[in-house]
Amino acid sequence: MRVNKIGAGIVLAAAILLTGCSAPADEPKDDTASSTPAAEESTAPASDCPELTEGATVDGATLGGCITEAMTDSQGYAAKMTVLGMETTAQYNPSNDAVAWSTPMGSVIVIGDDEWVKSSTSEWQVADPNSTDPIVAGLSQAAATANDTDPAVAAGALSGEFTVTGKGSRLGQDVYILTGTAEQQGVSVDMTYEVTADYVVLATTGATEAAGQSIETTLEITEWDVKQDIVAPL
């Protein structure tokens, strides 16, 4: 896949549009948590979050709020995301608002308000969306909104109605499969969420069409409630 400044922006826009979950908080968690995600029990959602049963419907805003609450006290998590055929690995550390991406075109690290990028042929540098290097410029665009693809952020903007259409398994945990159509940034997106009974998202799929092109993004949590070591590269 040929990736230039414009191409990188399209990939980023698709990722932001089609990945979905809610917002992490800075609340610390007990360091004794196991490194095996399947061994962890998630915090139960608030009492006003509806019980998930097959055939039940959930309002999108309610779903997003429950996801947000369920994922706020994680030590960290890692994910694998595929956008327009490009695979990206990501790490999220809620305790210091840190995100790290690794893509075929380069890498991104964001810690709070600080952003760094590294193309496949360069060293780490401070993000610069106006760089004359199109890859650095594209990565810098991605860095500016990397938090928006956090599977603990995007669901905060959910709308529409979702239906529990089945059950499955992720990371050794039972999950409910919720499907629905959401309006995001004026675009209709068909969404599928795989969530535990207490609303922790372990996978999402989004599909839409833009300018006559079908766009699909998948996101799969590969480590849940495991601290991610994300440090400043400079």
Side-chain angles (χ1 to χ4, degrees), residues 84-164:
L84 297 174
M86 177 185 290
E87 186 172 299
T88 296
T89 57
Q91 297 171 278
Y92 303 94
N93 188 343
S95 67
N96 62 346
D97 295 325
V99 179
W101 276 18
S102 178
T103 77
M105 62 181 176
S107 303
V108 168
I109 290 178
V110 178
I111 302 177
D113 295 328
D114 297 317
E115 304 163 357
W116 301 270
V117 300
K118 176 186 181 300
S119 75
S120 58
T121 58
S122 74
E123 300 299 322
W124 283 105
Q125 58 191 285
V126 174
D128 178 10
N130 297 314
S131 172
T132 56
D133 183 328
I135 300 301
V136 170
L139 290 168
S140 298
Q141 291 176 344
T145 49
N147 283 307
D148 294 340
T149 63
D150 185 339
V153 171
L158 276 180
S159 60
E161 188 174 79
F162 288 78
T163 301
V164 181

Side-chain angles (χ1 to χ4, degrees), residues 151-177:
V153 171
L158 276 180
S159 60
E161 188 174 79
F162 288 78
T163 301
V164 181
T165 57
K167 297 180 71 175
S169 177
R170 289 276 182 181
L171 294 180
Q173 299 189 55
D174 292 333
V175 294
Y176 290 89
I177 300 171

Side-chain angles (χ1 to χ4, degrees), residues 57-78:
T57 59
V58 182
D59 175 74
T62 299
L63 175 62
C66 292
I67 291 170
T68 298
E69 182 175 0
M71 299 183 76
T72 54
D73 64 351
S74 170
Q75 291 191 102
Y77 35 95

Side-chain angles (χ1 to χ4, degrees), residues 3 22 61 76 85 168 189-190:
V3 179
S22 51
V189 183
D190 294 328

Side-chain angles (χ1 to χ4, degrees), residues 175-197:
V175 294
Y176 290 89
I177 300 171
L178 290 88
T179 60
T181 300
E183 292 291 328
Q184 297 187 15
Q185 301 177 18
V187 177
S188 180
V189 183
D190 294 328
M191 298 291 304
T192 299
Y193 285 85
E194 297 183 31
V195 304
T196 64

